[in-house]
Amino acid sequence: TNTVAKITVETTGNATDFGDLSASNYSMGALSSDTRSIAIGGYYNNAAYTNIIEYFTFASAGNATDFGDATTILYNTGGLANNVRGVFAKGVDGSDGYTKNVMEYITIASTGNSIDFGDTTSARSGLGSVASTTRGVFGGGLSQASAYLNVIDYITIASTGNATDFGDLTVGRGYLHGGANSSTRGVFGSAYSGSYVNTIDYITIASTGNATDFGDSTASTYGSCGLSNSTRGIYAGGQDTSGRLNIIEKIEIATTANATDFGDLLTIASYVAGTCAGNPAVQS
């Protein structure tokens, strides 16, 4: 689908229409500033993987606008940002089908092609991602050999360079496709680990160390998206053993507890991506 839906994170309720992507797309990466939402790569128009980068302006509903291009076609990409710079781990390079450890960055307020940032500690796709204003963290993912990884690594967003080991998730998993964070805590939602898992983990972004159990999702899913304002995290869409879902669930980031129901997406959808500027939030 090319559907883009919006919610108001501070309330609960069903999503409403925001606009459209330039074409049907899935398995893209996403990141945002307070004003602009960015979508990167994915499987485009039910035809081929793409390197397009496009953006939305949170304050005005409407369709996507071209931003620039990533260096190669890519999918199962993980994105994160502070309010100035966006960084994404490429995931799978569609030009050769190999999972890569390459990261690239953009300046969100401008337009243009992405630039090399450095390398993650291991090549993987379908990573979860969280960030503070200074540090970005990637968790989990699927290796080229189809191993579900528990690795967590981090970068300093304002610089460039290779990622550094942070610690481990409580269980190796892939297809997280998102995370939720406050300025201090990052929360990784449910995913796939050879079977569907509903485990939610959290970390303290400014430190290093292994993740700690947070609670459980309302369903054991993968391919959902994560987004957050400064206090509440949202996970939306994905699929479980019954098929694709339209669920939206919420957590309060400063606590530890199970997720609870928020509302429904416009459509059933998996391999979705989400961003947030506090109000409204955009899920694409």
Side-chain angles (χ1 to χ4, degrees):
T1 179
N2 67 345
T3 302
V4 180
K6 66 178 179 179
I7 59 171
T8 301
V9 175
E10 293 80 5
T11 66
T12 58
N14 296 337
T16 58
D17 186 64
F18 184 93
D20 295 327
L21 295 161
S22 58
S24 299
N25 201 359
Y26 71 90
S27 286
M28 72 198 84
L31 53 89
S32 67
S33 66
D34 287 340
T35 57
R36 183 177 277 189
S37 171
I38 308 288
I40 305 153
Y43 191 73
Y44 191 76
N45 210 22
N46 297 314
Y49 295 105
T50 183
N51 66 343
I52 64 167
I53 305 173
E54 50 193 11
Y55 72 93
F56 301 91
T57 302
F58 282 118
S60 57
N63 298 336
T65 301
D66 184 64
F67 184 97
D69 295 326
T71 58
T72 61
I73 59 177
L74 68 166
Y75 63 98
N76 283 351
T77 301
L80 54 84
N82 57 19
N83 207 33
V84 178
R85 174 180 281 189
V87 182
F88 56 93
K90 289 180 67 174
V92 179
D93 186 332
S95 63
D96 59 18
Y98 281 94
T99 302
K100 300 297 175 67
N101 64 347
V102 177
M103 295 178 286
E104 299 180 2
Y105 75 93
I106 57 172
T107 301
I108 299 172
S110 67
T111 58
N113 298 337
S114 61
I115 299 168
D116 183 67
F117 184 95
D119 297 332
T120 54
T121 58
S122 62
R124 57 200 200 272
S125 66
L127 312 86
S129 50
V130 297
S132 66
T133 55
T134 56
R135 177 178 281 190
V137 182
F138 294 105
L142 181 67
S143 74
Q144 182 70 33
S146 298
Y148 294 97
L149 305 177
N150 66 353
V151 62
I152 309 172
D153 48 21
Y154 73 93
I155 58 171
T156 301
I157 299 173
S159 66
T160 57
N162 296 337
T164 302
D165 183 65
F166 184 99
D168 295 327
L169 296 171
T170 60
V171 61
R173 67 188 93 164
Y175 305 118
L176 287 91
H177 273 218
N181 58 262
S182 65
S183 59
T184 57
R185 177 180 281 190
V187 186
F188 296 100
S190 59
Y192 193 77
S193 185
S195 60
Y196 296 86
V197 295
N198 65 352
T199 305
I200 306 174
D201 290 350
Y202 76 93
I203 58 169
T204 301
I205 298 173
S207 66
T208 58
N210 295 337
T212 302
D213 183 67
F214 183 97
D216 295 330
S217 297
T218 60
S220 298
T221 63
Y222 74 88
S224 60
C225 75
L227 57 88
S228 54
N229 61 16
S230 60
T231 59
R232 175 175 284 184
I234 301 289
Y235 297 104
Q239 62 191 70
D240 64 8
T241 54
S242 67
R244 292 183 174 89
L245 305 170
N246 67 346
I247 62 173
I248 308 173
E249 56 186 6
K250 62 181 172 70
I251 58 168
E252 304 306 321
I253 298 171
T255 67
T256 56
N258 296 337
T260 58
D261 183 65
F262 181 97
D264 294 328
L265 292 172
L266 293 172
T267 61
I268 59 171
S270 62
Y271 296 98
V272 290
T275 58
C276 184
N279 186 15
V282 171
Q283 179 271 323
S284 53

